[in-house]
């Protein structure tokens, strides 16, 4: 069973990664491949426990998750070796939260993944990393407390925690859901609960930031939609008002804030927050038949492109000390391979056609149109146009500006990083052209 394999290997690899990081990475990648094969054969947690379901949409997201984590594993170097075991535990927990159909188990796994995220950011090398880790921990602890408060209130009004059988018409249900969403908005970096993320994503080790902002957020996006879908349908007016408002505020504020940043990691952090705003549109459009399709597509596209850009930035930071936007001037000459991957993934984040970012936005926005949310979609389109400005500004520095110090010393890319980036780019291009898999697995649900 995939879950057991991942947890068992997670306990095993620390024996190897201190002295033989290559062996640890190889064992981890084999575990990811074995898990994918077992998922393909239907060998999930559903075989043992009645609280889990392995449907086609869940399988697709799990394949994407495992491929992304394999790519991250390939890119890691010596200092980041503790992340290997943490990713295995994260993979096992993520498979479980995607497969569960029980709200109580969802809450438990949500907190388990939160604890794993605290360990991820604790890979501290300097004061700057420590500050980011503390901010992530404090925000996460506050959010966890709020979520548990809302869940405690909800537990008094329902006889079952099964998604299909939950009582969503209880006296205090709407209040309980609102409290839980407040905590979840902290985790999903929704304005105004976003302040910690703009600093934490920029300050922690960039490999950890890739997992935190790319992998974990994407998995949570799908899991939260499945867990709260019945609530969203039961309270259509509240759903539209709450999610539309926070979507507009989040994407608009984050995009404007990104325009003024000088540190590349800060730009990418605010970009991540803005994408959280776009991702809320299918939630607001929960009544649309395309809502789940929009959520799943956005999660798949986002996990590839967001993970990729932070991994590239991690390489550049390690090899050339790149921090500020001025540091990437002439990068197209100094590090042509890094520059190419970075540019293509930035184009995807901007929503350029033939890349996954474009189709994911198109499907998410179409769900909004199908639900009659034209004003929200119009604001999202304007924000997407605004976001192109800072993505293009980065590309302009990469290819059209000369290095500040005038040197053009080449920056090479390791074989592991190259393979990892190829996997992520393949996913970005594939899901930017082929949409049938996502539609086929969700449209009938």
């Amino acid at each position: 069973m995939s879950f057991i394999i991942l947890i068992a290997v997670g306990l095993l690899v620390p024996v190897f990664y201190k002295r033989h990081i290559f062996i640890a990475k190889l064992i981890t990648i084999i575990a990811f491949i074995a898990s994918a094969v077992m998922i393909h054969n239907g060998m999930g947690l559903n075989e043992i426990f009645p609280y889990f379901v392995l449907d086609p949409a869940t399988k697709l997201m799990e394949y994407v998750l495992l491929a992304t984590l394999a790519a991250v594993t390939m890119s890691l170097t010596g200092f980041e070796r503790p992340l290997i075991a943490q990713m295995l535990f994260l993979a096992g927990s993520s498979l479980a939260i995607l497969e569960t159909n029980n709200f109580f188990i969802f809450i438990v796994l949500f907190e388990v993944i939160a604890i794993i995220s605290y360990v991820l950011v604790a890979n501290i090398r300097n004061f700057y990393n420590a500050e980011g880790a503390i901010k992530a921990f404090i925000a996460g602890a506050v959010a966890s407390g709020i979520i548990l408060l809302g869940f405690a209130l909800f537990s008094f009004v329902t006889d079952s925690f099964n998604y299909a059988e939950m009582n969503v018409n209880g006296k205090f249900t709407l209040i309980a859901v609102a409290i839980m969403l407040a905590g979840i908005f902290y985790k999903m970096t929704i304005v105004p609960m976003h302040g910690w993320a703009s600093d934490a994503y920029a300050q922690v080790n960039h490999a950890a930031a890739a997992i935190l902002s790319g992998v974990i957020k994407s998995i949570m996006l799908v899991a939260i939609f499945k867990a709260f879908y019945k609530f969203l349908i039961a309270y259509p007016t509240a759903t539209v008002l709450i999610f539309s408002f926070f979507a507009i505020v989040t994407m608009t504020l984050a995009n404007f804030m990104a325009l003024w940043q000088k540190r590349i990691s800060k730009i990418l952090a605010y970009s991540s927050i803005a994408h959280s705003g776009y991702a809320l549109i299918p939630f607001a459009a929960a009544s649309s038949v395309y809502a789940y399709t929009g959520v799943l597509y956005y999660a798949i596209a986002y996990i590839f492109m967001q993970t990729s850009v932070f991994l590239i930035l991690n390489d550049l930071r390690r090899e050339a000390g790149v921090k500020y936007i001025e540091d990437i001037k002439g990068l197209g000459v100094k590090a042509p391979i890094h520059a190419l991957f970075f540019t293509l993934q930035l184009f995807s984040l901007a929503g350029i056609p033939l890349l996954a970012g474009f189709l994911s936005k198109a499907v998410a926005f179409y769900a909004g149109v199908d639900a009659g949310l034209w004003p929200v979609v119009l604001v999202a389109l304007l924000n997407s146009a605004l976001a192109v400005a800072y993505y293009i500004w980065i590309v302009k520095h990469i290819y059209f500006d000369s290095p500040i110090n005038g040197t053009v010393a080449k920056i090479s890319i390791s074989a592991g990083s190259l393979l990892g980036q190829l996997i992520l780019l393949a996913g970005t291009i594939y899901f930017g052209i082929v949409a049938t898999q996502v539609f086929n697995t969700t449209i009938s649900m």
Side-chain angles (χ1 to χ4, degrees):
M1 188 179 66
S2 55
F3 176 82
I4 294 177
I5 287 178
L6 292 169
I7 300 302
V9 175
L11 295 171
L12 174 66
V13 291
V15 176
F16 296 98
Y17 66 48
K18 289 186 178 180
R19 295 185 179 180
H20 307 286
I21 189 171
F22 176 79
I23 295 176
K25 291 166 71 171
L26 181 61
I27 293 172
T28 301
I29 292 169
I30 292 172
F32 289 145
I33 294 172
S35 297
V37 172
M38 298 184 81
I39 290 167
H40 178 73
N41 294 327
M43 300 171 68
L45 284 167
N46 57 306
E47 287 197 326
I48 300 176
F49 302 105
Y51 307 113
F52 298 88
V53 176
L54 190 58
D55 55 65
T58 301
K59 280 186 176 182
L60 178 59
M61 190 65 213
E62 289 179 343
Y63 294 148
V64 169
L65 165 69
L66 294 170
T68 303
L69 290 178
V72 176
T73 301
M74 294 176 187
S75 303
L76 298 180
T77 58
F79 171 70
E80 295 140 0
R81 60 170 64 92
L83 297 181
I84 298 174
Q86 294 156 21
M87 282 194 298
L88 286 159
F89 294 131
L90 174 62
S93 302
S94 297
L95 296 187
I97 201 171
L98 287 171
E99 293 178 15
T100 188
N101 64 354
N102 184 280
F103 200 78
F104 175 76
I105 295 176
F106 164 78
I107 294 293
V108 172
L109 291 168
F110 192 96
E111 297 308 322
V112 168
I113 293 175
I115 292 170
I116 295 172
S117 70
Y118 305 151
V119 179
L120 281 170
V121 299
N123 192 24
I124 296 169
R125 199 170 188 175
N126 52 49
F127 174 81
Y128 200 64
N129 293 158
E131 183 182 356
I134 292 171
K135 289 177 180 177
F137 174 77
I138 293 174
V142 171
S144 295
I146 295 172
I147 293 169
L148 292 175
L149 175 63
F151 176 73
L153 182 59
F154 175 63
S155 67
F156 285 107
V157 297
T158 184
D159 297 324
S160 172
F161 290 120
N162 186 286
Y163 290 167
E165 300 171 0
M166 289 189 301
N167 177 18
V168 297
N169 298 312
K171 185 177 180 181
F172 301 108
T173 300
L174 188 57
I175 298 173
V177 171
I179 294 172
M180 286 188 285
L181 285 177
I184 285 172
F185 282 178
Y186 257 104
K187 302 281 190 177
M188 297 302 293
T189 66
I190 304 300
V191 173
M193 288 77 83
H194 71 292
W196 69 273
S198 59
D199 292 330
Y201 291 173
Q203 293 176 323
V204 301
N205 176 273
H206 292 329
I211 301 169
L212 193 64
S213 69
V215 177
I216 293 179
K217 187 183 287 189
S218 298
I219 295 303
M220 289 302 187
L221 194 66
V222 177
I224 291 167
F225 185 84
K226 292 169 68 175
F228 282 84
Y229 180 72
K230 195 171 182 180
F231 299 111
L232 303 180
I233 295 300
Y235 300 96
T237 302
T239 294
V240 170
L241 291 176
I242 292 172
F243 284 93
S244 296
F245 172 77
F246 283 107
I248 291 172
V249 172
T250 300
M251 67 179 81
T252 303
L253 179 64
N255 279 323
F256 273 105
M257 290 298 293
L259 290 171
W260 303 103
Q261 303 305 315
K262 300 298 182 183
R263 186 182 286 266
I264 301 175
S265 56
K266 276 274 193 178
I267 296 175
L268 296 180
Y270 278 110
S271 167
S272 174
I273 295 169
H275 278 277
S276 296
Y278 302 135
L280 288 186
I281 294 177
F283 283 78
S287 60
S288 169
V289 69
Y290 300 103
Y292 188 34
T293 309
V295 170
L296 182 62
Y297 217 132
Y298 214 96
I300 289 172
Y302 183 78
I303 197 173
F304 284 126
M305 53 196 185
Q306 184 70 15
T307 304
S308 175
V309 292
F310 264 111
L311 286 178
I312 293 168
L313 188 58
N314 188 51
D315 273 2
L316 296 175
R317 175 75 175 271
R318 183 177 60 247
E319 299 295 332
V322 171
K323 295 182 182 179
Y324 299 96
I325 194 165
E326 290 82 3
D327 296 334
I328 63 170
K329 289 183 176 181
L331 191 67
V333 175
K334 294 191 294 183
I337 299 177
H338 287 97
L340 177 63
F341 285 126
F342 201 45
T343 300
L344 289 173
Q345 297 292 3
L346 286 176
F347 282 165
S348 184
L349 286 167
I352 302 300
L354 299 182
L355 296 171
F358 171 76
L359 275 184
S360 65
K361 282 185 178 179
V363 177
F365 293 175
Y366 185 76
V369 172
D370 187 56
L373 304 178
W374 283 93
V376 181
V377 174
L378 179 59
V379 173
L381 288 171
L382 293 174
N383 269 280
S384 295
L386 175 65
V388 171
Y390 55 82
Y391 294 129
I392 293 297
W393 187 247
I394 294 175
V395 175
K396 178 255 185 188
H397 278 67
I398 291 174
Y399 287 105
F400 299 101
D401 289 349
S402 300
I404 295 177
N405 55 15
T407 61
V408 290
K410 296 290 184 180
I411 303 172
S412 60
I413 186 170
S414 67
S417 290
L418 179 60
L419 287 173
Q421 289 298 330
L422 285 173
I423 290 172
L424 297 173
L425 182 60
T428 297
I429 294 174
Y430 178 80
F431 286 101
I433 300 172
V434 181
T436 52
Q437 278 186 298
V438 182
F439 277 89
N440 290 341
T441 58
T442 58
I443 210 68
S444 60
M445 296 182 65

